[in-house]
Amino acid sequence: MLDLQALRNDLDGVAARLVTRGYPLDTTRFGQLESARKTIQTRTQELQAKRNATSKQIGMGKAKGEDVSAIMAEVVGLGDELKELEAQLEHIQQDLQAFLSVIPNIPHISVPVGKSEADNVEMRSVGSPPEFDFEVKDHVSLGEDVGGLDFDTAAKISGARFSLLKGPLARLHRALAQFMLDTHTEQHGYTEVYVPYLVNADSMRGTGQLPKFEEDLFRLKQAPAGSSNTVGRLDFPDGLDGLKEAIDKRSFEDVVHWFDDWYSAQGGFYLIPTAEVPVTNMVRDSITPLEKLPLKFVAHTPCFRSEAGSYGRDTRGMIRQHQFDKVELVQIVHPEQSYDALEQLLAHAETILQKLALPYRVMKLCTGDMGFSAAMTYDIEVWLPAQNAYREISSCSNFEAFQARRMQARFRNEQGRPELLHTVNGSGLAVGRTLVALLENYQQADGSIAVPEVLRPYMGKLEYIRAS
């Protein structure tokens, strides 16, 4: 979430920066909300001062034995008006928070301005694409030929955009995750964490998935055991007044929001789209001691995405799935160190590809291609011979204080005062896409797949995967 003071102090400047992201900031709406807030706050302060003065007048009158009933009636009237103003102010503050919650982060000044991935800038390429003296197969054909990749059974069990791995390929998938975890914990100083795969709405809001990207998420319709809501019916033991107010005073949209808020209060769950959500939310609503920074975490989790808006894209194979595994790197850092942390985290992710001897390139994303919460993003793209193209395998971003402000994640600075943290994360790496890259780059003329040397200790010293 953006700093409200930045909007108040430089609305036109912030709007201009956001235009480079393709986001037209509604400055008129913001001005209306701010004007209403100021008016109510000014009137509230005037009434509070008047009530305080009148209360003193009542005390003095009583001390002199005077009749103060008329003045007391005036104080009651002031109290009623104050109560109404406070309710109005709360509603405006809620509208202001809703307004802020869908505004993307301001891009760092060094981010190239552009509209799409065509405007991204290549920073470097590492390794050369392999040359083959035989017809190159894609990962689907290779996996099916060795009997380790089964999309038909996955479709029967679940549907489209799922895969089933068997035998050595399933082991290779597991080996990749363990190799990544070992590298990041033993060589890069990350602490491994095992986190929940189901999170609440507050966690999704904290890292920026809600409210803007709900259609990309898998939400459980059933509340957890112990809540007052049960399958097939809704119980409202103490919330009917709020629902009645929404119906009486507001719009249908407000009623829907009321139900969403009530459902979230009951403990509704979302499947995580990335480990970034539970890991980063570890510091939500907390103050981290300065001496504990930086915090560096790594987690291996499945990830679940609806892939809304991707109809027709990457329908073949494992590139775009509803369920996939990822090893995620997260750093929670001092604001002055976040861009150094981003470069460090990027290098850590690159190390995995270098150890696997997979060709790749690093792209700096332009303003129009960055994710909602990011201030700067690097994508690592691995070479896929069957596509004759580089494809994303990791996205490493600095969010500055954008997520921390939503989460109220703070630290005590050098003066002992609470200050917002900066958050940095990236894939280290996406396991399924790494498997895809290995199959295609390590394919042999006889249809077998060579196992990279660094993975052989995890594979029982197996050197080649062949059809059994």
Side-chain angles (χ1 to χ4, degrees):
M1 186 174 294
L2 295 186
D3 183 0
L4 188 55
Q5 286 303 123
L7 291 173
R8 289 170 177 165
N9 296 335
D10 186 19
L11 183 60
D12 291 338
V14 171
R17 298 281 298 282
L18 291 174
V19 164
T20 68
R21 298 197 59 149
Y23 184 85
L25 181 64
D26 190 344
T27 55
T28 300
R29 175 59 175 158
F30 180 75
Q32 291 169 342
L33 289 170
E34 274 292 278
S35 177
R37 179 192 64 81
K38 289 178 181 178
T39 299
I40 292 174
Q41 284 188 337
T42 299
R43 179 58 180 162
T44 299
Q45 291 167 358
E46 291 173 352
L47 290 177
Q48 287 172 339
K50 186 174 182 180
R51 184 175 61 177
N52 291 339
T54 306
S55 295
K56 290 181 180 179
Q57 188 178 352
I58 290 172
M60 294 171 62
K62 284 183 176 180
K64 296 177 181 178
E66 298 174 352
D67 181 6
V68 295
S69 57
I71 304 176
M72 291 179 68
E74 182 181 355
V75 170
V76 171
L78 291 174
D80 291 341
E81 187 177 354
L82 275 169
K83 186 175 181 181
E84 176 61 27
L85 287 173
E86 287 169 358
Q88 291 178 26
L89 184 60
E90 182 180 357
H91 184 57
I92 289 173
Q93 296 285 19
Q94 289 173 352
D95 287 346
L96 190 56
Q97 287 301 304
F99 177 84
L100 291 171
S101 68
V102 296
I103 301 174
N105 203 354
I106 298 173
H108 188 268
I109 192 66
S110 68
V111 174
V113 175
K115 295 181 179 180
S116 69
E117 62 181 19
D119 300 313
N120 295 340
V121 177
E122 182 177 321
M123 306 301 291
R124 57 183 169 274
S125 62
V126 178
S128 300
E131 296 182 2
F132 299 96
D133 57 4
F134 55 88
E135 185 176 353
V136 172
K137 296 180 180 179
D138 69 4
H139 69 281
V140 177
S141 298
L142 290 163
E144 290 176 340
D145 288 349
V146 298
L149 188 53
D150 186 346
F151 289 102
D152 291 338
T153 302
K156 178 179 68 175
I157 295 169
S158 300
R161 294 193 186 272
F162 289 92
S163 59
L164 189 152
L165 300 174
K166 297 183 289 187
L169 280 196
R171 185 171 184 176
L172 182 60
H173 186 270
R174 172 164 54 92
L176 279 168
Q178 289 186 274
F179 163 67
M180 293 174 191
L181 287 171
D182 288 347
T183 300
H184 295 314
T185 56
E186 295 172 8
Q187 299 179 25
H188 299 152
Y190 291 82
T191 298
E192 183 177 355
V193 291
Y194 173 80
V195 292
Y197 303 160
L198 298 171
V199 297
N200 56 34
D202 285 342
S203 294
M204 286 293 190
R205 278 191 286 267
T207 42
Q209 280 73 25
L210 287 179
K212 190 172 179 62
F213 301 105
E214 175 134 15
E215 66 175 4
D216 296 323
L217 307 173
F218 285 112
R219 177 175 177 175
L220 274 64
K221 297 300 183 184
Q222 178 179 348
S227 71
S228 61
N229 137 336
T230 58
V231 179
R233 67 185 178 91
L234 295 176
D235 296 326
F236 301 99
D238 55 8
L240 286 174
D241 289 342
L243 177 58
K244 185 177 184 302
E245 179 184 355
I247 293 172
D248 289 346
K249 297 185 177 180
R250 302 183 186 178
S251 65
F252 173 75
E253 184 180 46
D254 288 314
V255 176
V256 172
H257 287 322
W258 187 94
F259 273 101
D260 279 344
D261 291 343
W262 176 86
Y263 180 85
S264 297
Q266 304 308 306
F269 284 142
Y270 291 84
L271 288 167
I272 61 171
T274 164
E276 167 196 342
V277 178
V279 176
T280 310
N281 273 276
M282 288 168 60
V283 295
R284 190 178 81 224
D285 296 325
S286 65
I287 299 179
T288 302
L290 177 63
E291 62 272 15
K292 296 289 186 180
L293 298 179
L295 300 175
K296 297 169 63 176
F297 299 115
V298 59
H300 168 221
T301 68
C303 305
F304 305 90
R305 298 183 185 178
S306 71
E307 292 297 341
S310 66
Y311 181 78
R313 296 179 60 194
D314 297 309
T315 55
R316 178 176 168 85
M318 297 177 63
I319 294 295
R320 196 176 299 276
Q321 302 241 285
H322 290 312
Q323 174 187 315
F324 59 95
D325 278 39
K326 191 149 62 78
V327 171
E328 188 76 1
L329 304 174
V330 174
Q331 293 199 28
I332 313 293
V333 303
H334 192 289
E336 295 177 0
Q337 299 169 359
S338 63
Y339 281 95
D340 288 339
L342 174 62
E343 298 294 332
Q344 181 192 74
L345 186 145
L346 173 65
H348 294 160
E350 288 183 73
T351 297
I352 301 298
L353 290 170
Q354 292 165 8
K355 288 178 177 290
L356 294 171
L358 289 171
Y360 69 92
R361 67 181 184 180
V362 177
M363 306 293 291
K364 192 172 190 178
L365 300 196
C366 70
T367 53
D369 198 34
M370 288 197 306
F372 173 78
S373 300
M376 180 189 289
T377 298
Y378 293 109
D379 271 5
I380 304 176
E381 299 178 344
V382 69
W383 177 257
L384 297 185
Q387 295 189 19
N388 195 37
Y390 289 97
R391 295 300 303 271
E392 178 197 338
I393 197 169
S394 174
S395 190
C396 302
S397 300
N398 184 358
F399 304 97
E400 297 185 354
F402 189 84
Q403 292 179 328
R405 187 171 290 107
R406 298 170 80 104
M407 296 186 300
Q408 281 303 289
R410 297 166 292 169
F411 73 104
R412 292 203 181 277
N413 62 23
E414 291 79 355
Q415 290 74 42
R417 293 193 296 269
E419 183 180 341
L420 291 171
L421 290 157
H422 278 197
T423 58
V424 180
N425 71 44
S427 305
L429 301 163
V431 181
R433 291 196 178 191
T434 308
L435 178 65
V436 168
L438 284 183
L439 295 179
E440 294 195 6
N441 283 277
Y442 279 84
Q443 61 182 296
Q444 307 296 304
D446 63 359
S448 65
I449 297 102
V451 177
E453 188 172 345
V454 293
L455 295 181
R456 292 174 189 173
Y458 299 90
M459 295 288 292
K461 300 182 179 180
L462 184 69
E463 295 183 8
Y464 292 92
I465 296 175
R466 296 185 170 91
S468 57

